[in-house]
Each structure stands twice: as C-alpha cells, then as structure tokens.
Amino acid sequence: MLVQRSISLGIFTQLSTAALVPRQIAYAGNYAIVNCGPDNTALLHTLLDEIYTALLPAIQDAETTHGPAFQAFFKDAENGAKVSNLLVNITEGAPAFPPDTQFPNGAPLLVCLSGKGELSGRISTGEPFDAFDRCNASIAALSLTGTKYIAICPLFWTTPALVTSPPAPPANNQPASDCLSLSRNKRQFRGTTTNRHGAVKLVQYKVWVVLEEIVHSYIYAAFGLGSHTNPLDLYDSNAALALSAQDSLLNAPSYVLYVASIYGHCTSFPSSTGRELLDAGPDIAANQPTNETDLVSVEPSV
C-alpha cells in the first residue's frame, strides 16, 4: 500500500503509449527486473537489497527531522513524514502506478536495454519515443516520467566510472571517507555549482544511481505531478542545499545525497544561515519525458 498521509496521489503520464518487449522477467520483492540476463539480474537484486539496508536508518532519521543531514537537504520539520513515507514506499516496492495484466503490483520496473525497439511508445504530443535513444555515451539510467519504467542503459554495466557500492559504514560510527566536505567558511559544501561538487555520490556507485531513478518514480506518484511539472535533476550538492523546503521534496538527487550521507555517518553540513546566502538556481519544473543519470554532466570536483 502506498503510504500517503497528508499528500495526495495523482497519476498522470507524459508517455501516451509505451510498449515493453519482455524476454526475461525476475523479481526482487515487488520490483520486476526485465531483460537483464542472469548476471546483471543478480547484481540488480543485490543493489536493491543494499538500497533497502541503506534506507532504514534514513527513514528513522527523517522521522526525527532534527538531524543535520535532514535539515540541510529538506529544511522543514513538516517534510519529515513526506520524506520518510516516500522512503518506506521504496523499501516495500509499494504500488506507485496502475497495475496491468503482466505486472500487476504497480511497482516500478527495471528494464535493461541493449537496442532500439525494446521500450518505446509515443509522448503526449504524438511523437514517437524510444528509450534506447537516450542511452548515449553519457547516460547510465533513466526514469520514464509518468510510467513504471526505469531503463538501465548499457553504460551502467560497462563504464569503469561506476563502482558497484560504497564501502560499508565505519564500524566505529565515524564518518565515511567519501562524505561531503565543507568550504572554509562552513557556509556551503566545498566547491561551486560550476564544478558540481557532490555529484560523485550519485555517479560513482551503481547503488545510488538505481536509488535515484526509483525515487523519481515515487516522487511522481506521491506528489501527483502533472505532465509539465517534471522535476529537474539538481545533482550539485550546493544547488540541492539551496532549494526551498517545498522544492527539495521534488528533487530526486536530494534524497540520494541525504540517504548516502546517513549511510556514511556523515556529520558536517553547512549552517542554515549560510544556506540563505546561496543562489536557489533554476525552478524545479521542466517539460521533458525522462529523468536521467548523465555521467558527463555531473563531473565531481576534488
């Protein structure tokens, strides 16, 4: 059951039709893994298990609303229930989309693509759409907004830039080595929005890439977004930090930065007074049929 409390459910679609050609179907809980082959299916199953483990402490933290990571990325205590509910939905693979005969549970589907014609349809304007066309030299995965489909592109498996998973949290409860660091004045994360500091958390590990695309699906379902209110991907940690409390709920990378920070026992975050000095960046609204993990446009700084 999709956890709703205080937020309305609205299902819309930007793809007026979508056709999937399934050859192999496996399940990890309620999540279907389609056309991925034995080895890649096993890896995705492992990644989904790791996502479940990583989400549990983040859910607990969001319920308190007082932690520094929550305050940095979601700001307002009123967001606590909305964030924790969305993360709970992901752990359960809760129904987010209308069921169909082949996939009756309504959870997002992970579809591995190897060529054209495997996941195609038409967008609301009537123009043809093939998900594989978005799988170029930089796109590792994408969520087809308004549908249950998450496309896993060939680059997800082949690029050496993507490590499977982050290291396990330190046994002594100390912060992990890949936590975000602060600028000298501690008012923002080190780096600038130009060099997109912080994106390494989203593109270095396959587990966070999969989480981000799943988050897109549940954001779309839980907040009832229409076809012209598709949230952008603001990967840069300072851009995510500067979002309003309301807009932060619609930015999938904010959830991933938050979950990764909790998982890594990270403790250093900019102060709220410093956050007010940052530029808010673009409004969270777009008119595009996908949200995608682009390994070129999110280069981390050092």
Side-chain angles (χ1 to χ4, degrees), residues 25 51 106 149 191-192 200 229 297:
I25 302 173
I51 287 172
Y149 303 117
T192 66
V200 64
T229 55
S297 66

Side-chain angles (χ1 to χ4, degrees), residues 10-218:
I11 301 297
F12 303 92
T13 183
Q14 284 187 290
L15 290 179
S16 58
T17 62
L20 171 66
V21 181
R23 299 184 303 272
Q24 305 163 333
I25 302 173
Y27 280 90
N30 285 332
Y31 291 101
I33 302 172
V34 182
N35 296 348
C36 295
D39 293 342
N40 290 343
T41 294
L43 178 54
L44 284 172
H45 198 299
T46 297
L47 294 176
L48 289 168
D49 287 344
E50 292 180 358
I51 287 172
Y52 177 88
T53 300
L55 288 179
L56 296 181
I59 291 168
Q60 293 179 334
D61 184 84
E63 289 173 346
T64 69
T65 74
H66 300 307
F70 182 88
Q71 289 294 315
F73 293 113
F74 296 105
K75 286 83 175 174
D76 195 326
E78 291 186 1
N79 284 347
K82 298 174 184 178
V83 173
S84 63
N85 288 348
L86 188 141
L87 298 181
V88 166
N89 287 335
I90 294 174
T91 64
E92 296 176 350
F97 300 98
D100 56 41
T101 302
Q102 195 164 37
F103 302 101
N105 60 24
L109 277 68
L110 281 69
V111 184
C112 294
L113 300 181
S114 58
K116 292 176 66 68
E118 297 172 328
L119 183 56
S120 59
R122 293 188 179 275
I123 61 176
S124 55
T125 61
E127 299 175 5
F129 178 86
D130 193 304
F132 191 74
D133 290 337
R134 307 292 290 220
C135 292
N136 56 35
S138 63
I139 304 300
L142 58 145
S143 172
L144 275 63
T145 305
T147 79
K148 61 174 68 71
Y149 303 117
I150 295 172
I152 307 297
C153 296
L155 189 68
F156 184 85
W157 311 109
T158 60
T159 177
L162 280 179
V163 181
T164 299
S165 302
N172 57 3
N173 228 26
Q174 294 299 305
S177 60
D178 61 352
C179 289
L180 296 171
S181 56
L182 297 184
S183 63
R184 187 170 299 177
N185 62 14
K186 300 186 184 304
R187 293 178 175 176
Q188 57 185 328
F189 293 111
R190 182 177 297 170
T192 66
T193 55
T194 302
N195 63 30
R196 306 176 73 83
H197 184 70
V200 64
K201 282 192 167 295
L202 304 181
V203 301
Q204 186 177 357
Y205 302 118
K206 288 183 172 72
V207 67
W208 300 144
V209 171
V210 173
L211 174 60
E212 186 201 346
E213 304 308 334
I214 294 175
V215 169
H216 278 304
S217 295
Y218 282 98

Side-chain angles (χ1 to χ4, degrees), residues 277-293:
L277 301 176
L278 301 175
D279 293 329
D283 183 42
I284 291 221
N287 184 12
Q288 57 187 23
T290 62
N291 285 283
E292 55 207 24
T293 297

